[in-house]
């Protein structure tokens, strides 16, 4: 995350928007991606992105995918619609919850949280608070607010919530599935790119014609250059089934010759939007196959140049 | 949906499980897919599928994808884990909501629903019920129950909910995005396949090694046979990022020679699970390119057979 921090340090004392409210996992990710920065919550992903687009904020922290719930549709749509934004850093947080109650408060008859959070700690609640009725709230933080107000007795929250609300921690680090994770992005208006590290992720959106074999062709542009796919998502265009946009993440950085070559090949086949090149949070280095390294691409170009000049054949 | 109905008619007077509670969109889809059948709600997608697996139900109706919210992760995971189940029919419902209140009830100060439903009618609520505070419930039907109990003043529900609860319809057919749709499946234990119609969907799950170019190779097996992809989803295996299963839907029916050829090619490259071949709800006929029709595949096989027999060359 070294480069991520560096990418943000030039923003000192300017605003980072995040998908709020305060006390959620996204705030926790924003603190990791922009330590010491002034963080401002926005009610929706789209509003956080709009704040960056219109210059009210210099960057936004938003969730992009959860290993249990899948991608965050509002984020994919928000990045592919309207003016371009690019990701400059990512963070992956393990999803574990705290249970917060009023200090010294009596019986726990109700436990509130967002339905997704309740689903992820159901077994823990059955084993540890069998008499508490689960109640849906609009967010984990809204559940904490309702407990403070005395509406419910306990809230299932992001661990950071304890810093915002006058509540006591009954338990923390709980989750039925031990390995659940959420990945978050820090996005900015297009500008200076983070430096390549050898362990980078490049993201694009491809809008291709709905023809047989289109997606196979696009992925072959990467496979033929031995560029490893990290993930792929298809999102319907205009909220109806039939026409899709493809969100494609692959290893490498847009400043590498092998990636430039692939993007050029892809651009000939479809409309593309660049969503950023930045260090991977898991620091997994890119796979480079024999004959597909950056020097191989440069050497091949030099040879063709020499052929054109008549100095080699 | 003619074939869909036929596929179910042999189940007369046996139980169809569906993802409940009563009064949701899934019940509405179950009625369309299994008209006149005995429908039983289950609390989760996984429990509805388990009822089919253990023989307590003969089929289950579950949501698979929403054009706004994306795929339903619980359904993808539920179909790829445990004993195989196959889809025999699908239904696509436009997602429009009703607003239900207590008959003759006074001021509307609160309006409850599942957070996804509230998100999809937010503009309507702001324009028509600006003084009502939105409140999260665990499902659209749970919101109706809470209105009956007097906890909240209005509920945003599936239109079918009015048949289950003693409430009045304040408005119906509302949705901020006019074209939102959800697709539902009717799944059974493996057995007799629905007949091919020329407008079919075949679904598989592919678990391939995480190597560069794997997905491009799999999709090329379809593209090389001019088989049109309908959709593709990547789901993390074991709830962590890094290893993925691919849910691949394409045009055609497993009884067609061109589809048999493609499945055989795919099976050589990866582990496959067959998730069903059934008529498409949108009745879009399969695209068949020159040289890639079923007769072309049969003719090619005949020629090779003749070469082997020494009767042609």
């Amino acid at each position: 995350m070294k480069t991520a921090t560096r990418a943000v340090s030039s923003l000192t004392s300017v605003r980072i928007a995040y998908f709020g409210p305060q006390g959620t996992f996204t705030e926790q990710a924003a603190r990791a991606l922009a330590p010491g920065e002034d963080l401002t919550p926005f009610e929706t992903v789209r509003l956080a992105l709009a704040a960056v687009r219109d210059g009210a904020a210099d960057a936004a922290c938003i969730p992009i995918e959860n290993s249990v719930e899948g991608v965050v549709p509002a984020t994919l749509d928000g990045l592919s619609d309207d003016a371009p934004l690019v990701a400059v850093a990512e963070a992956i947080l393990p999803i574990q919850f705290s249970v917060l109650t009023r200090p010294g408060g009596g019986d726990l008859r109700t436990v509130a949280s967002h339905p997704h959070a309740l689903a992820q700690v159901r077994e823990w609640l059955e084993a540890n608070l069998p008499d508490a009725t689960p109640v849906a709230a609009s967010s984990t933080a809204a559940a904490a607010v309702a407990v403070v107000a005395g509406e419910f007795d306990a809230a299932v929250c992001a661990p950071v919530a304890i810093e915002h609300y006058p509540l006591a921690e009954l338990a923390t680090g709980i989750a039925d599935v031990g390995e659940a994770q959420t990945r978050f992005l820090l996005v900015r208006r297009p500008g200076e790119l983070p430096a390549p590290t050898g362990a980078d992720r490049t993201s694009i959106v491809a809008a291709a014609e709905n023809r047989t074999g289109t997606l196979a062709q696009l992925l072959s542009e990467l496979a033929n250059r031995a560029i490893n796919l990290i993930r792929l998502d298809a999102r319907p265009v205009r909220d109806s089934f039939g026409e899709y946009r493809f969100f494609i993440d692959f290893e490498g950085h847009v400043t590498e010759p092998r990636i430039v070559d692939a993007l050029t090949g892809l651009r000939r086949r479809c409309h593309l939007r660049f969503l950023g090149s930045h260090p991977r949070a898991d620091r997994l280095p890119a796979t480079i196959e024999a004959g597909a390294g950056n020097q191989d691409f440069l050497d091949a170009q030099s040879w063709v140049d020499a052929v054109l000049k008549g100095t080699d054949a």
Side-chain angles (χ1 to χ4, degrees), chain A:
Chain A
M1 205 65 52
K2 211 180 283 177
T3 306
T5 312
R6 195 165 63 235
V8 173
S9 60
S10 61
L11 302 177
T12 308
S13 85
V14 295
R15 269 174 57 193
I16 309 290
Y18 69 95
F19 171 44
Q22 285 193 324
T24 62
F25 288 101
T26 310
E27 185 197 354
Q28 213 161 314
R31 289 184 181 198
L33 287 168
E37 303 291 339
D38 176 26
L39 306 178
T40 304
F42 284 77
E43 204 188 328
T44 64
V45 167
R46 208 170 267 277
L47 289 172
L49 296 177
V52 181
R53 288 194 170 102
D54 68 20
D58 275 358
C61 180
I62 48 173
I64 176 90
E65 61 173 327
N66 175 283
S67 60
V68 177
E69 299 291 339
V71 291
V72 181
T75 297
L76 297 189
D77 295 347
L79 291 174
S80 55
D81 297 339
D82 303 324
L85 294 172
V86 294
V88 295
E90 69 176 17
I92 294 177
L93 295 191
I95 298 304
Q96 297 199 314
F97 298 90
S98 296
V99 179
L100 305 184
T101 59
R102 282 181 300 282
D107 285 354
L108 301 181
R109 276 161 306 189
T110 51
V111 54
S113 195
H114 190 277
H116 288 182
L118 289 173
Q120 288 179 50
V121 300
R122 194 177 53 184
E123 290 169 26
W124 187 93
L125 292 177
E126 284 170 3
N128 295 277
L129 295 175
D131 298 330
T133 306
V135 183
S138 59
S139 72
T140 55
V145 170
V147 172
V148 172
E151 290 173 48
F152 306 117
D153 301 324
V156 177
C157 297
V160 73
I162 189 78
E163 301 179 26
H164 293 291
Y165 306 103
L167 295 171
E169 198 173 80
L170 182 70
T172 192
I174 67 168
D176 295 344
V177 175
E179 296 178 35
Q181 300 175 313
T182 299
R183 189 164 61 89
F184 299 86
L185 297 178
L186 189 72
V187 303
R188 304 181 60 173
R189 294 181 295 280
E192 203 185 332
L193 294 163
T197 65
D200 303 296
R201 175 193 295 259
T202 291
S203 306
I204 57 173
V205 192
E209 265 184 279
N210 187 4
R211 277 188 295 103
T212 301
T214 301
L215 184 57
Q217 282 181 344
L218 297 185
L219 297 184
S220 295
E221 293 287 346
L222 298 172
N224 292 343
R225 292 169 179 89
I227 295 169
N228 201 20
L229 199 65
I230 303 177
R231 71 169 289 126
L232 185 138
D233 290 292
R235 278 287 294 158
V237 177
R238 286 190 297 276
D239 292 329
S240 65
F241 300 134
E243 198 183 337
Y244 290 88
R245 278 189 291 232
F246 300 106
F247 291 77
I248 307 175
D249 285 12
F250 48 87
E251 294 181 355
H253 192 284
V254 66
T255 56
E256 293 181 65
R258 63 194 190 99
I259 303 300
V260 166
D261 200 63
L263 287 176
T264 312
L266 287 165
R267 185 65 187 81
R268 284 194 302 268
R269 293 190 182 272
C270 63
H271 292 280
L272 281 191
R273 173 175 280 198
F274 175 68
L275 291 183
S277 286
H278 56 77
R280 294 180 67 158
D282 57 19
R283 297 167 188 247
L284 278 178
T287 312
I288 308 282
E289 288 185 15
N294 287 317
Q295 195 56 51
D296 299 306
F297 280 85
L298 293 175
D299 290 349
Q301 186 62 54
S302 299
W303 177 78
V304 174
D305 289 347
V307 167
L308 287 170
K309 279 186 210 147
T311 59
D312 200 350

